[in-house]
Amino acid sequence: MTKWLPDVSATSDPIYLAIAKAIVADVTAGQLRPGDHLPPQRELARDLNVSIGTVTRGYIEASRRGVIRGSSGRGTVVRDPTAERPDSRLRHGGGTEVVDLGTNLPIHGEDPDLAQAFARLSRQRGVTRLLHYQASHENPRHLGAGAVWVRESGLEVDPDAVVITAGAQHALMVILASYAEPGDLVFADELTCPALFEVAELLRLRVQGIETDEVGMKPDALRRACRHRTGRALYCMPTVHNPTSAILTADRRRGLAEVAREYDLLVLEDEVHRHLAPDAGPPISEILPERGFFITGLSKAVAPGLRVAYVAAPPFAREKLKDAVVASLVLISPLTLEIATMWVEDGSARDTADRKRAEAEARQTIAREVLGDHSYRSYPTAYNILLDLPEEWKAGEFANEARRRCVAVAPASSFTVPGCQPPEAVRISLGGAESRVQLREGLEVIAKILADGRPCRCTRM
Ligand SMILES: Cc1ncc(COP(=O)(O)O)c(C=O)c1O
């Protein structure tokens, strides 16, 4: 191979990312082949007229994307996944490392450039103020960024409608702590996000599951439930539901809004996955501005470690929610809130969300290739799939068998509202794998378990 030298002159990406992307593109196009050596980092840095740190980060990023590996003494080489697989810990089982396809992780290989954000922060005047006590969640710039993000998530709002929380789960906490009493009833899909269970348990609320179909919650089923028992709130995920990935149609959204109004329910509309299907139907909170709490945030679109979410709250609730934020946390970390604001303002948050969606789509294609005709529920850009198991399997046993073979998946019981029957299904999080190569390996283990069938448990008489 002639010396590899990418053209990064016309890129709008940070240079390290452009280098990583060029490597991935050239591997995909066959210009770089398994076993090819990339130039030593110092040499490439000199040829591109960038710092060696930039090249190092580019190589690390490409390695996270699964296309190259560094081996001491041999420099950086293009990986050959087929040659590597027989040695893989996954093939042999019994290893200690686990491929995490059990946690709903937002594809960390596509996270934004934190080092660059810190470098920018360090040049800000008065940056040490970020270490002080302050009403960070009242800062007009932070609220402005919140309004931008809520608007990008589909709901028109002004900054004064926004309440900033430390993640979407904290949003559920402050809303329900403010407006529900112990013993109150919250309606939710039969399968729902475990964040709700944790909050409900702490606040001693009851949760009742409402029947759903492939589109999501059925308004008629909600109405029947409301006739029998007085509910305080409805929790729903209209766009790319966790774990089913269902998207409510516009009709369903209107139907649920109608029932919520009729039975005086507050609506907690969790839209943390909206970036995965930006054109989904109208927010329920747009139909119900007087009772809809529209929750969106940066955990799934940008990075969960930021702990930043935005609630577009109805007018009556704004001050009380802000008080609840102060009571529960004193302040949202000004440091991460500043970074979040910077990324929303300069478009990095949007770019990251777009990249994550594109990567999710590529991972869905891998899932389809590996799992073939096995039945599962998902959406073409969702982070998760919910795999229906053949009759012989119980979901818990299947998850244990996968774990034995070093792959973590989550049984549907983890998402099932108490009192409802969990389906024999497991959620597989495509975003958890560190690279596409690792994802394929993990999914191949799942496919193998399905092909092998359930081990016979019969004992000899
Ligand atoms: C639908 C949904 N809502 C909320 C959360 C919690 O998000 P956060 O990290 O912002 O608290 C999750 C986490 O997986 C989720 O899937």
Side-chain angles (χ1 to χ4, degrees), residues 249-280:
T249 58
D251 270 0
R252 282 281 170 99
R253 289 166 196 246
R254 279 191 286 273
L256 293 174
E258 204 175 285
V259 181
R261 186 171 280 147
E262 198 177 325
Y263 287 93
D264 196 20
L265 300 174
L266 301 175
V267 177
L268 279 62
E269 183 176 23
D270 182 341
E271 284 287 69
V272 297
H273 288 140
R274 181 80 187 197
H275 64 291
L276 298 176
D279 297 329

Side-chain angles (χ1 to χ4, degrees), residues 101-139:
L101 306 183
T103 316
N104 183 16
L105 299 178
I107 313 186
H108 285 305
E110 299 297 337
D111 283 349
D113 187 346
L114 185 61
Q116 201 186 53
F118 278 133
R120 268 182 67 188
L121 266 189
S122 71
R123 292 192 296 271
Q124 269 184 21
R125 282 181 45 174
V127 69
T128 52
R129 271 203 313 273
L130 296 175
L131 299 178
H132 301 182
Y133 278 124
Q134 59 199 267
S136 51
H137 56 291
E138 300 272 21
N139 178 319

Side-chain angles (χ1 to χ4, degrees), residues 338-376:
E338 183 59 33
I339 293 174
T341 299
M342 226 162 65
W343 281 341
V344 172
E345 284 175 346
D346 74 5
S348 311
R350 173 50 48 210
D351 292 347
T352 302
D354 290 347
R355 281 202 312 276
K356 291 191 181 220
R357 185 177 58 249
E359 178 63 17
E361 192 169 10
R363 290 178 180 219
Q364 286 281 348
T365 305
I366 293 173
R368 184 42 77 206
E369 282 165 15
V370 178
L371 296 176
D373 292 336
H374 289 294
S375 141
Y376 58 79

Side-chain angles (χ1 to χ4, degrees), residues 49-342:
N49 198 19
V50 299
S51 76
I52 185 162
T54 301
V55 175
T56 306
R57 291 197 62 213
Y59 280 14
I60 289 173
E61 185 56 40
S63 146
R64 278 203 314 199
R65 292 176 188 215
V67 292
I68 57 171
R69 67 188 156 79
S71 68
S72 59
R74 290 193 53 215
T76 307
V77 290
V78 176
R79 288 183 67 183
D80 180 354
T82 45
E84 286 169 24
R85 274 193 223 152
D87 298 333
S88 155
R89 61 184 187 272
L90 297 177
R91 287 296 149 106
H92 291 284
T96 48
E97 275 183 82
V98 167
V99 175
D100 185 2
L101 306 183
T103 316
N104 183 16
L105 299 178
I107 313 186
H108 285 305
E110 299 297 337
D111 283 349
D113 187 346
L114 185 61
Q116 201 186 53
F118 278 133
R120 268 182 67 188
L121 266 189
S122 71
R123 292 192 296 271
Q124 269 184 21
R125 282 181 45 174
V127 69
T128 52
R129 271 203 313 273
L130 296 175
L131 299 178
H132 301 182
Y133 278 124
Q134 59 199 267
S136 51
H137 56 291
E138 300 272 21
N139 178 319
R141 259 188 64 237
H142 297 162
L143 292 170
V148 168
W149 193 253
V150 171
R151 273 185 233 125
E152 293 203 2
S153 308
L155 184 70
E156 273 307 310
V157 284
D158 293 328
D160 63 4
V162 173
V163 178
I164 304 175
T165 61
Q169 179 156 338
H170 184 231
L172 300 183
M173 177 70 78
V174 295
I175 299 165
L176 290 170
S178 302
Y179 291 103
E181 302 287 336
D184 276 356
L185 185 63
V186 179
F187 296 118
D189 299 274
E190 290 168 317
L191 289 184
T192 193
C193 177
L196 178 69
F197 301 143
E198 286 162 20
V199 171
E201 192 176 334
L202 197 61
L203 299 177
R204 301 201 198 127
L205 307 174
R206 293 169 303 148
V207 181
Q208 180 174 332
I210 302 296
E211 201 187 325
T212 58
D213 60 14
E214 65 292 346
V215 178
M217 190 182 288
K218 294 172 159 180
D220 287 350
L222 178 63
R223 180 171 280 109
R224 274 196 302 280
C226 289
R227 280 192 196 124
H228 279 96
R229 298 166 86 185
T230 305
R232 181 71 184 116
L234 166 67
Y235 170 72
C236 56
M237 291 165 273
T239 309
V240 192
H241 178 284
N242 177 17
T244 66
S245 303
I247 299 185
L248 285 174
T249 58
D251 270 0
R252 282 281 170 99
R253 289 166 196 246
R254 279 191 286 273
L256 293 174
E258 204 175 285
V259 181
R261 186 171 280 147
E262 198 177 325
Y263 287 93
D264 196 20
L265 300 174
L266 301 175
V267 177
L268 279 62
E269 183 176 23
D270 182 341
E271 284 287 69
V272 297
H273 288 140
R274 181 80 187 197
H275 64 291
L276 298 176
D279 297 329
I284 295 178
S285 304
E286 185 181 292
I287 311 168
L288 290 178
E290 79 287 0
R291 65 184 63 245
F293 293 79
F294 184 87
I295 303 164
T296 178
L298 301 181
S299 289
K300 304 300 172 188
V302 183
L306 286 172
R307 307 310 305 143
V308 173
Y310 305 108
V311 183
F316 76 88
R318 292 170 194 164
E319 288 315 308
K320 194 159 175 179
L321 291 193
K322 287 180 183 173
D323 290 348
V325 169
V326 173
S328 54
L329 287 179
V330 183
L331 66 160
I332 310 287
S333 163
L335 186 56
T336 60
L337 196 42
E338 183 59 33
I339 293 174
T341 299
M342 226 162 65

